[in-house]
Amino acid sequence: MVAISIIIPVYNAEQYLRSCLDSVLTQQMGDFEVLLINDGSRDNSLNICNEYAMRDCRVRVFDKPNGGVSSARNLGLDNAMGEYIMFIDADDRLVPNALEMFLPYTPDYDFVRMNVMVLNADGSTQKLHLVATQNKKEAMDLSISNSIIVGPISALFRRSLFEDHNIRFDTKLQIGEDWIVSTQLLYYAKSFIFLPEKVAYIYDKSNEASCTNNLSFAKGIQHYYALQKLEELVAEEREQYDKA
């Protein structure tokens, strides 16, 4: 078993992929594996994945027909061997000491989230909104209201949370699926911590093909569906939630 399994879905990402992988493989904390899930890319992405796998034994490549980011992440989860899970998008990257920043928190927490630096197309940057809290009810309220970072990025999750509670990404959704999973993980975590002052992840917003840059009415409906699922999660075990 390795400490961290880093799952990276890859779809037509040749423009960004090398930068992403270099940011991961040059981390000083080296006890990790990288699972590259090629999701039916039509560009040179698979060749780049295989190139890095040949150079570094920590990299494993999985090639599958296109099924979307959720199916890619799920395949990564099914094959991960690490105690903790980290998700990275192929057009983003880690800051140089990201894994070292996470490491001191791993013995005590099931879920550790740090902040994200957004890189805009014009070169400007900004941090996303993250509240420093270890109060589960407050964190759940913020997550369900979409008032903090709700995607799976810039976070470590204990892998047993996924396995013990059968948590996977909904392959029917193109948006909101990560919101559901992150909130489920928060709900079931026995311990968690949010660290807004620490930036571990760089989100490159300049990629015009990314899902968040291509919203539609249909995706808005899926967002509403995701909110309903989250409300059901809380309603199912309201007693435990109120005690959190």
Side-chain angles (χ1 to χ4, degrees):
M1 180 183 289
V2 294
I4 303 171
S5 292
I6 300 174
I7 298 172
I8 306 178
V10 178
Y11 177 69
N12 293 347
E14 63 178 4
Q15 181 179 350
Y16 308 94
L17 187 54
R18 292 182 188 278
S19 176
C20 174
L21 293 177
D22 289 344
S23 78
V24 174
L25 296 174
T26 55
Q27 295 284 315
Q28 291 187 12
M29 182 276 187
D31 187 15
F32 61 85
E33 63 171 354
V34 179
L35 290 80
L36 297 177
I37 317 297
N38 182 59
D39 189 36
S41 296
R42 299 188 301 271
D43 63 1
N44 197 42
S45 292
L46 179 57
N47 289 333
I48 296 173
C49 290
N50 288 331
E51 172 194 329
Y52 275 79
M54 289 289 292
R55 286 164 37 185
D56 196 314
C57 64
R58 295 172 297 181
V59 178
R60 292 194 282 154
V61 178
F62 299 83
D63 187 27
K64 61 182 284 296
N66 180 253
V69 66
S70 291
S71 67
R73 286 171 173 161
N74 289 343
L75 181 59
L77 287 169
D78 292 342
N79 289 277
M81 297 186 295
E83 182 180 1
Y84 282 84
I85 298 291
M86 174 179 282
F87 296 100
I88 303 176
D89 291 340
D91 52 355
D92 298 334
R93 55 189 183 273
L94 297 179
V95 303
N97 60 339
L99 299 185
E100 282 187 293
M101 288 195 295
F102 278 107
L103 196 59
Y105 301 95
T106 54
D108 301 318
Y109 297 99
D110 294 335
F111 180 154
V112 183
R113 186 183 293 284
M114 296 186 185
N115 215 330
V116 173
M117 184 66 71
V118 178
L119 176 61
N120 297 310
D122 62 2
S124 62
T125 60
Q126 65 193 74
K127 288 184 183 180
L128 293 184
H129 181 60
L130 184 64
V131 175
T133 183
Q134 292 179 259
N135 181 283
K136 183 171 287 190
K137 187 175 188 305
E138 178 186 18
M140 286 288 293
D141 287 342
L142 289 168
S143 184
I144 292 173
S145 65
N146 206 4
S147 299
I148 54 172
I149 302 170
V150 294
I153 60 174
S154 200
L156 276 187
F157 311 103
R158 199 180 297 274
R159 181 163 60 93
S160 59
L161 290 175
F162 291 92
E163 308 310 322
D164 293 347
H165 304 285
N166 195 28
I167 296 173
R168 290 296 187 271
F169 294 87
D170 190 334
T171 58
K172 299 186 297 295
L173 298 179
Q174 292 178 289
I175 193 168
E177 80 292 338
D178 50 0
W179 186 19
I180 295 172
V181 165
S182 290
T183 308
Q184 287 177 316
L185 293 167
L186 175 61
Y187 181 81
Y188 289 113
K190 294 180 180 178
S191 56
F192 75 96
I193 188 168
F194 294 168
L195 300 162
E197 74 282 0
K198 296 181 181 292
V199 174
Y201 192 98
I202 300 173
Y203 165 47
D204 190 342
K205 203 175 180 181
S206 65
N207 181 6
E208 296 179 355
S210 71
C211 183
T212 52
N213 284 342
N214 290 274
L215 299 180
S216 64
F217 177 75
K219 290 179 182 177
I221 296 297
Q222 293 183 14
H223 194 272
Y224 177 71
Y225 168 81
L227 180 58
Q228 287 184 311
K229 296 293 288 184
L230 293 175
E231 290 176 339
E232 290 172 9
L233 170 67
V234 174
E236 284 176 3
E237 301 188 42
R238 171 63 66 177
E239 182 178 352
Q240 289 91 329
Y241 170 64
D242 286 340
K243 290 178 180 178

